[in-house]
Amino acid sequence: MTDCEELREPALRVFFRLAEEWSLSEQEQSILLASNVGELGRWRQGIANDVGADVLTRVSLLLGIYKALHTLFADRGQANAWLRRNHVAGEFLDTTALGHMLSNGLPGMQRVHGKLVGQLE
């Protein structure tokens, strides 16, 4: 069994918990994972044999974003709300971090992750 195969199910379990905590719609979930609603349904049921490295990379970035937010903000609600808060300065000017990720896919997720990790240093 390869590393990718071993990580599929645990990564998806983490993703669906994050999606619930962040109140992500099914459409937002499918966009973030570059998948479709049918795939999400199968993955939610534990049928994950078609999950590839791209999906695992996306889940890894989202988990890193979650961890950074909960390190930066002591309050859980504030940490989770940050994704949907309109930003008034910086590279997410007049948008939300979630909106940026949804509009820009993997590069957007990498930018949000990088911004948050940079604030931790």
Short mmCIF file of all heavy atoms in Angstrom, two decimals, residues 1 9 13 24 26 36 40 46 52-54 57 60-61 65 67 78 84 91 98 103 105 110 114:
data_model
loop_
_atom_site.label_atom_id
_atom_site.label_comp_id
_atom_site.label_asym_id
_atom_site.label_seq_id
_atom_site.Cartn_x
_atom_site.Cartn_y
_atom_site.Cartn_z
N MET A 1 0.85 -1.19 0.00
CA MET A 1 0.00 0.00 0.00
C MET A 1 0.89 1.24 0.00
O MET A 1 1.83 1.36 0.78
CB MET A 1 -0.90 -0.02 1.24
CG MET A 1 -1.92 1.09 1.26
SD MET A 1 -3.07 1.02 2.65
CE MET A 1 -4.17 -0.26 2.13
N GLU A 9 -8.40 7.79 3.43
CA GLU A 9 -9.54 7.81 4.35
C GLU A 9 -9.34 8.76 5.53
O GLU A 9 -10.24 9.54 5.84
CB GLU A 9 -9.88 6.39 4.79
CG GLU A 9 -10.48 5.59 3.65
CD GLU A 9 -10.88 4.18 4.05
OE1 GLU A 9 -11.15 3.95 5.25
OE2 GLU A 9 -10.91 3.31 3.16
N ARG A 13 -11.69 12.09 6.32
CA ARG A 13 -12.37 12.28 7.61
C ARG A 13 -12.04 13.65 8.19
O ARG A 13 -12.92 14.36 8.67
CB ARG A 13 -11.98 11.17 8.60
CG ARG A 13 -12.70 9.86 8.35
CD ARG A 13 -12.54 8.89 9.51
NE ARG A 13 -11.17 8.60 9.87
CZ ARG A 13 -10.43 7.62 9.33
NH1 ARG A 13 -10.96 6.83 8.41
NH2 ARG A 13 -9.20 7.41 9.74
N LEU A 24 -19.06 24.76 5.58
CA LEU A 24 -18.90 24.80 4.13
C LEU A 24 -20.07 24.09 3.46
O LEU A 24 -20.44 22.99 3.86
CB LEU A 24 -17.60 24.10 3.71
CG LEU A 24 -16.29 24.70 4.20
CD1 LEU A 24 -15.13 23.81 3.78
CD2 LEU A 24 -16.11 26.12 3.68
N GLU A 26 -21.92 22.09 0.35
CA GLU A 26 -21.45 20.98 -0.50
C GLU A 26 -20.73 21.53 -1.74
O GLU A 26 -19.72 20.98 -2.16
CB GLU A 26 -22.63 20.09 -0.89
CG GLU A 26 -22.21 18.70 -1.24
CD GLU A 26 -23.38 17.74 -1.27
OE1 GLU A 26 -24.23 17.89 -2.17
OE2 GLU A 26 -23.43 16.86 -0.40
N ASN A 36 -16.52 16.71 -7.67
CA ASN A 36 -17.93 16.98 -7.91
C ASN A 36 -18.74 16.40 -6.76
O ASN A 36 -18.22 15.66 -5.92
CB ASN A 36 -18.38 16.43 -9.27
CG ASN A 36 -18.20 14.94 -9.37
OD1 ASN A 36 -18.71 14.19 -8.55
ND2 ASN A 36 -17.46 14.50 -10.39
N LEU A 40 -17.89 13.57 -3.75
CA LEU A 40 -18.00 13.89 -2.33
C LEU A 40 -18.87 12.88 -1.60
O LEU A 40 -18.53 12.44 -0.50
CB LEU A 40 -18.59 15.29 -2.12
CG LEU A 40 -17.67 16.48 -2.31
CD1 LEU A 40 -18.46 17.77 -2.11
CD2 LEU A 40 -16.49 16.43 -1.38
N GLY A 46 -16.92 6.62 2.58
CA GLY A 46 -15.70 5.84 2.77
C GLY A 46 -15.18 5.16 1.52
O GLY A 46 -14.25 4.36 1.59
N GLY A 52 -6.72 11.14 -5.21
CA GLY A 52 -5.33 11.23 -5.63
C GLY A 52 -4.52 12.23 -4.83
O GLY A 52 -5.01 12.85 -3.87
N ALA A 53 -3.29 12.40 -5.25
CA ALA A 53 -2.36 13.28 -4.55
C ALA A 53 -2.84 14.72 -4.53
O ALA A 53 -2.60 15.45 -3.56
CB ALA A 53 -0.98 13.19 -5.19
N ASP A 54 -3.53 15.18 -5.59
CA ASP A 54 -4.03 16.56 -5.63
C ASP A 54 -5.02 16.81 -4.50
O ASP A 54 -4.94 17.84 -3.82
CB ASP A 54 -4.68 16.86 -6.98
CG ASP A 54 -5.19 18.29 -7.06
OD1 ASP A 54 -4.38 19.22 -6.96
OD2 ASP A 54 -6.43 18.46 -7.18
N THR A 57 -3.18 16.93 -1.21
CA THR A 57 -2.48 18.21 -1.08
C THR A 57 -3.44 19.29 -0.61
O THR A 57 -3.12 20.08 0.29
CB THR A 57 -1.83 18.62 -2.42
OG1 THR A 57 -0.88 17.63 -2.78
CG2 THR A 57 -1.17 19.98 -2.34
N SER A 60 -4.32 18.78 3.00
CA SER A 60 -3.18 19.16 3.82
C SER A 60 -3.10 20.68 4.00
O SER A 60 -2.87 21.17 5.11
CB SER A 60 -1.89 18.64 3.18
OG SER A 60 -0.77 19.06 3.91
N LEU A 61 -3.31 21.42 2.93
CA LEU A 61 -3.30 22.88 3.02
C LEU A 61 -4.43 23.38 3.91
O LEU A 61 -4.23 24.27 4.75
CB LEU A 61 -3.43 23.50 1.62
CG LEU A 61 -2.17 23.42 0.75
CD1 LEU A 61 -2.50 23.77 -0.69
CD2 LEU A 61 -1.09 24.33 1.30
N ILE A 65 -4.19 25.50 7.32
CA ILE A 65 -4.92 26.76 7.52
C ILE A 65 -5.68 26.70 8.84
O ILE A 65 -5.64 27.64 9.64
CB ILE A 65 -5.86 27.03 6.33
CG1 ILE A 65 -5.03 27.39 5.08
CG2 ILE A 65 -6.88 28.12 6.66
CD1 ILE A 65 -5.80 27.35 3.78
N LYS A 67 -5.04 24.81 11.48
CA LYS A 67 -4.09 24.83 12.59
C LYS A 67 -3.55 26.24 12.82
O LYS A 67 -3.47 26.69 13.97
CB LYS A 67 -2.95 23.86 12.31
CG LYS A 67 -1.93 23.79 13.43
CD LYS A 67 -0.83 22.82 13.12
CE LYS A 67 0.20 22.84 14.26
NZ LYS A 67 1.36 22.03 13.95
N GLN A 78 -13.80 32.88 16.60
CA GLN A 78 -13.07 33.90 15.85
C GLN A 78 -12.16 33.25 14.81
O GLN A 78 -12.06 33.73 13.68
CB GLN A 78 -12.26 34.76 16.82
CG GLN A 78 -11.62 35.97 16.18
CD GLN A 78 -10.87 36.83 17.20
OE1 GLN A 78 -10.63 36.42 18.33
NE2 GLN A 78 -10.50 38.02 16.79
N ARG A 84 -14.40 33.72 6.49
CA ARG A 84 -15.54 34.38 5.84
C ARG A 84 -15.58 35.89 6.08
O ARG A 84 -16.48 36.56 5.61
CB ARG A 84 -16.85 33.76 6.31
CG ARG A 84 -16.99 32.30 5.87
CD ARG A 84 -18.35 31.74 6.23
NE ARG A 84 -18.44 30.34 5.93
CZ ARG A 84 -18.81 29.83 4.76
NH1 ARG A 84 -19.14 30.63 3.77
NH2 ARG A 84 -18.87 28.51 4.59
N GLU A 91 -3.62 41.28 0.55
CA GLU A 91 -3.89 40.61 -0.73
C GLU A 91 -5.31 40.08 -0.87
O GLU A 91 -5.73 39.70 -1.95
CB GLU A 91 -2.87 39.51 -0.99
CG GLU A 91 -2.89 38.36 -0.03
CD GLU A 91 -1.78 37.38 -0.32
OE1 GLU A 91 -1.77 36.76 -1.40
OE2 GLU A 91 -0.90 37.25 0.54
N LEU A 98 -11.87 32.59 2.18
CA LEU A 98 -12.59 31.49 1.56
C LEU A 98 -12.92 31.84 0.11
O LEU A 98 -12.72 31.01 -0.79
CB LEU A 98 -13.87 31.16 2.33
CG LEU A 98 -14.73 30.05 1.75
CD1 LEU A 98 -13.96 28.74 1.66
CD2 LEU A 98 -15.99 29.87 2.59
N SER A 103 -12.16 31.00 -5.64
CA SER A 103 -11.94 31.62 -6.95
C SER A 103 -10.63 31.20 -7.60
O SER A 103 -10.52 31.20 -8.83
CB SER A 103 -11.96 33.14 -6.84
OG SER A 103 -13.21 33.59 -6.41
N GLY A 105 -8.59 28.38 -6.62
CA GLY A 105 -8.20 26.97 -6.52
C GLY A 105 -6.96 26.74 -5.68
O GLY A 105 -6.71 27.42 -4.69
N GLN A 110 -2.83 27.92 -1.44
CA GLN A 110 -1.43 28.07 -1.07
C GLN A 110 -1.14 29.49 -0.56
O GLN A 110 -0.39 29.66 0.39
CB GLN A 110 -0.53 27.74 -2.27
CG GLN A 110 -0.57 26.27 -2.64
CD GLN A 110 0.06 25.96 -3.97
OE1 GLN A 110 -0.02 26.76 -4.93
NE2 GLN A 110 0.69 24.80 -4.08
N GLY A 114 0.10 30.29 3.12
CA GLY A 114 1.36 31.01 3.27
C GLY A 114 1.21 32.27 4.11
O GLY A 114 2.08 32.58 4.94
#
